[in-house]
Amino acid sequence: MPLLEGSKIRELALSGCTLPGLAADTAQIDGRLVLSRSHLTGPLVLTRAQIHNNLDLRDTVITVPGTEAISAVRLTVGGDVLCTNLAVQGTFRISGATISGEFDLESDSLSNPGGNALDAYHVHVTEDFTFHPGFSAEGRIILSGATVAAAIGLCGARLNNASDIALEAVEVNVARNFDLGLGLSVNAYCWIRSCSPEAATKRQVTQRVARALVSVRVLELRGQRGLRSRREPARRLPGTPHAWRARRAPGRYWQPRGSDPCSNAWSDSGV
């Protein structure tokens, strides 16, 4: 495995390489780190590294099943994190990272069944944090504590984690929208709590949380004033005045009731 811990590098381009892993924790890279079209059979370690331009992981394959495939805790990126067609077996851990551009996940495949597929706890993103259509994950997606200065979008993403939590988004601060959007599919438990624009209070969770159709098996929104289903009434969760949970009927989807996409009333409707 190439060992670059603590190195000072002008730019590092390893496109199209096959590597047994890469250790660049605490490295300082003045330009880009490019690993596009590469195949890593060991972990990519970028803990506390500083990349002053883009981190390019487009078309990259990283295979380290059952452990951390990407360890980028407290990574600093001065540009975008580009992950189009990234395929990861293992955990993509980027908790505590600071990204001065976009965090772009398009047509990615993250797989860590029974564990964390993406750990973005307390990540700071200056622009959009987007899971584009074609993104799929087997395992838990953690967005809790994230601060996003633009929007979070999950339109068209497919999340699965057997009977465990597939999406965990607790205390997320978003300057614009937290858009669950058209085509999101979550075949597991979905937990969203106190996710609101920065200017809003925690009791205004419903503001712009969902703008279109949402397909999840179990939906829990803490801060909601109401959550209703035509097939099964929502039940209030104990201990919180505005916390609701409901279960979607098979083959149906959730959508806000009425014409207001920020409505507090939800229904489960036929496709």
Side-chain angles (χ1 to χ4, degrees):
M1 177 190 298
L3 303 177
L4 300 173
E5 299 103 319
S7 300
K8 294 184 178 180
I9 306 168
R10 178 170 295 179
E11 185 166 295
L12 182 59
L14 296 169
S15 299
C17 296
T18 300
L19 300 169
L22 176 65
D25 40 319
T26 70
Q28 296 184 37
I29 302 174
D30 293 335
R32 301 175 300 160
L33 172 56
V34 181
L35 289 167
S36 57
R37 302 187 307 279
S38 293
H39 184 192
L40 279 68
T41 56
L44 172 61
V45 182
L46 298 171
T47 302
R48 296 178 183 269
Q50 296 181 28
I51 302 169
H52 291 200
N53 205 309
N54 295 341
L55 171 59
D56 189 347
L57 298 174
R58 290 176 291 184
D59 300 299
T60 301
V61 177
I62 304 176
T63 308
V64 193
T67 185
E68 289 187 7
I70 301 176
S71 180
V73 177
R74 298 190 180 182
L75 168 69
T76 300
V77 179
D80 301 328
V81 177
L82 305 172
C83 299
T84 304
N85 292 322
L86 172 67
V88 176
Q89 292 186 27
T91 299
F92 184 171
R93 187 180 183 198
I94 196 166
S95 55
T98 299
I99 300 167
S100 297
E102 296 183 355
F103 193 173
D104 194 28
L105 295 154
E106 182 176 357
S107 300
D108 295 32
S109 175
L110 309 182
S111 178
N112 191 27
N116 296 333
L118 174 66
D119 182 354
Y121 174 77
H122 222 280
V123 71
H124 292 251
V125 182
T126 302
E127 297 183 26
D128 290 336
F129 189 172
T130 308
F131 300 78
H132 291 276
F135 174 88
S136 65
E138 180 73 34
R140 183 179 299 196
I141 300 292
I142 300 175
L143 304 180
S144 297
T147 299
V148 180
I152 296 177
L154 286 132
C155 300
R158 300 182 65 84
L159 312 181
N160 186 45
N161 196 21
S163 58
D164 199 358
I165 295 174
L167 175 63
E168 177 187 317
V170 179
E171 302 287 349
V172 177
N173 293 311
V174 188
R176 296 211 308 262
N177 293 345
F178 192 138
D179 191 355
L180 300 181
L182 180 66
L184 171 66
S185 176
V186 184
N187 187 29
Y189 187 75
C190 181
W191 186 21
I192 301 172
R193 185 180 71 186
S194 299
C195 301
S196 60
E198 291 177 339
T201 65
K202 291 182 180 179
R203 295 182 68 176
Q204 293 174 311
V205 177
T206 58
Q207 185 175 8
R208 295 193 296 263
V209 168
R211 297 169 61 89
L213 307 181
V214 183
S215 175
V216 296
R217 197 174 74 198
V218 179
L219 177 69
E220 178 180 320
L221 298 177
R222 290 178 178 266
Q224 294 287 84
R225 294 181 182 276
L227 182 65
R228 302 188 184 93
S229 166
R230 296 176 185 172
R231 296 285 295 273
E232 178 181 340
R235 63 181 180 85
R236 188 185 299 273
L237 297 177
T240 45
H242 300 294
W244 300 81
R245 181 184 179 193
R247 184 174 295 275
R248 174 181 62 83
R252 296 164 109 46
Y253 56 77
W254 289 103
Q255 67 177 12
R257 296 186 68 176
S259 59
D260 181 8
C262 302
S263 170
N264 291 330
W266 290 62
S267 66
D268 112 24
S269 303
V271 174

